Amino acid sequence: HQDFPFEQLLEHLSVERDPSRHPLFQVMFEVEGFGEQETETLSGHLQPVDLEEEGNPTAKFDLSISMDDSSRAIGVHMSYATSLFSHETIERMARHYLVLLE
């Protein structure tokens, strides 16, 4: 209900707040579809890419995954809190996602 402020709702429900975490969600998955290409040009052309070290100890969310199809290939950017995830864990997540897409 938009007439009831979020902060007041949390107070009324006696939700214990952790100021280091977002109160609604910890993972964001975003897909940006700016490309005007036909989707058939990408079918069957999934390739793994090397991940750069994108960890950030002060990330806005625990894990953020952004996909962008504005070029010929779909770009994926993953940022994460290094206090929660290792680089190897993020690489493993990316490989699992590639398997899912295939």
Side-chain angles (χ1 to χ4, degrees):
H1 299 262
Q2 66 186 15
D3 294 336
F4 200 68
F6 181 69
E7 295 295 327
Q8 217 174 7
L9 176 65
L10 292 177
E11 184 179 314
H12 179 72
L13 294 173
S14 301
V15 175
E16 191 172 322
R17 301 275 314 261
D18 180 354
S20 68
R21 299 184 66 130
H22 194 280
L24 291 179
F25 58 90
Q26 288 75 44
V27 176
M28 180 175 70
F29 185 85
E30 170 186 32
V31 178
E32 298 176 5
F34 298 115
E36 295 183 11
Q37 63 198 14
E38 297 180 22
T39 55
E40 64 189 351
T41 60
L42 293 176
S43 62
H45 298 291
L46 298 174
Q47 297 178 3
V49 295
D50 292 329
L51 294 174
E52 296 177 16
E53 191 73 41
E54 295 290 339
N56 183 345
T58 58
K60 189 171 185 178
F61 304 109
D62 293 352
L63 176 64
S64 296
I65 303 169
S66 299
M67 299 183 69
D68 180 10
D69 73 347
S70 62
S71 63
R72 181 142 172 83
I74 296 175
V76 179
H77 174 79
M78 299 174 83
S79 64
Y80 56 94
T82 55
S83 61
L84 298 173
F85 299 103
S86 69
H87 184 70
E88 292 77 22
T89 300
I90 298 299
E91 285 180 329
R92 190 171 56 252
M93 283 183 188
R95 286 192 306 270
H96 290 313
Y97 188 64
L98 183 61
V99 168
L100 179 68
L101 291 174
E102 288 175 335

